[in-house]
């Protein structure tokens, strides 16, 4: 579904990504791990088209998208929940969701699909609240729900558990499982909380200094070796 081949990216003369090879198969959940500052967010931004690749190839659904603008990639089926969530703080929850529905490919109105409230029932109860007054966990659920309304084939999330209390983290974990298993949406997840990333990943990658240094299957890998890479 998603395939990166030898992708590099830079800010000015500072190289941030160096020869990245990464893939996500249809219906697969992949976790991307690494310490702060190793290039994880830049990699996601490069995949979705918010940052230009300096070299290499990005393919999605067997189409070269390396030089396509972000909106074209979104229309092809890449949903993105950035770090910081990116919701509209002065709009209500319902307004945020309806905007997502209106912007969806082939949208015929602003109706909110029922599965959104099945996955995130809290959003029905807080529908008239402004996005900016929600708790961190509620904002994260809103951000994921808004991305899902566009019916993506691949959902990319950057640090979805950051600043969220453990009980809400468990709810988000359960929702992501449903998104993968019931909605058949592939997931690429950047996460520092290893237990969370490990629990939903079919495969994982570890980044250091702009490069992939380890790849594996959580069921066949020793988490202590990953802990070591994340701590040095």
């Amino acid at each position: 579904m998603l395939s990166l081949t030898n992708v590099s990216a830079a800010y000015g003369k500072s190289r941030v990504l160096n020869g990245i090879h990464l893939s996500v198969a249809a219906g697969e959940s992949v976790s991307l791990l690494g310490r702060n500052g190793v290039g994880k967010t830049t990699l996601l931004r490069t995949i979705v088209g918010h940052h230009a690749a300096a070299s290499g190839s990005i393919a999605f659904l067997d189409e070269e998208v390396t030089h396509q603008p972000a909106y074209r990639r979104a229309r092809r089926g890449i949903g993105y929940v950035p770090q910081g969530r990116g919701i509209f703080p002065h709009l209500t929850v319902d307004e945020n969701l309806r905007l997502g529905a209106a912007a969806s490919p082939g949208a015929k109105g602003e109706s909110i699909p029922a599965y959104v409230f099945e996955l995130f029932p809290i959003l029905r109860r807080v529908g008239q609240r402004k996005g900016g007054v929600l708790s961190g966990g509620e904002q994260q659920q809103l951000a994921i729900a808004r991305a899902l309304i566009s019916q993506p084939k691949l959902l990319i999330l950057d640090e979805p558990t950051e600043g969220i209390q453990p009980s809400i983290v468990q709810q988000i974990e359960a929702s992501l499982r449903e998104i993968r298993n019931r909605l058949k949406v592939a997931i690429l997840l950047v996460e520092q909380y290893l237990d969370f990333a490990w629990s939903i990943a079919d495969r994982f990658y570890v980044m250091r200094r702009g490069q992939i240094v380890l790849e594996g299957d959580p069921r066949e890998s020793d988490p202590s070796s990953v802990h070591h890479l994340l701590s040095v």
Side-chain angles (χ1 to χ4, degrees), residues 12 20 37 40 72 78-79 86 94 108 164 172 174 183 211:
I20 298 290
K40 303 186 304 299
R72 288 280 301 276
I78 298 179
D94 283 350
K108 297 180 180 179
I164 296 177
I172 291 174
L183 301 183
Q211 297 179 309

Side-chain angles (χ1 to χ4, degrees), residues 77 79 97-98 100-107 109-124 141-155 171-172 174-185:
L97 292 173
R98 287 201 298 272
S104 300
E110 297 181 358
S111 60
I112 302 168
Y115 63 77
V116 166
F117 297 118
E118 293 171 4
L119 287 167
F120 304 105
I122 185 63
L123 299 182
R124 189 186 298 277
Q141 291 176 81
L142 173 58
I144 297 172
R146 191 180 61 182
L148 276 181
I149 288 176
S150 67
Q151 299 181 345
K153 298 176 178 64
L154 170 65
L155 181 63
Q171 293 176 27
I172 291 174
S175 297
L176 292 180
R177 289 181 183 278
E178 280 287 291
I179 289 166
R180 179 189 62 185
N181 297 335
R182 180 157 68 94
L183 301 183
K184 307 302 181 184
V185 176

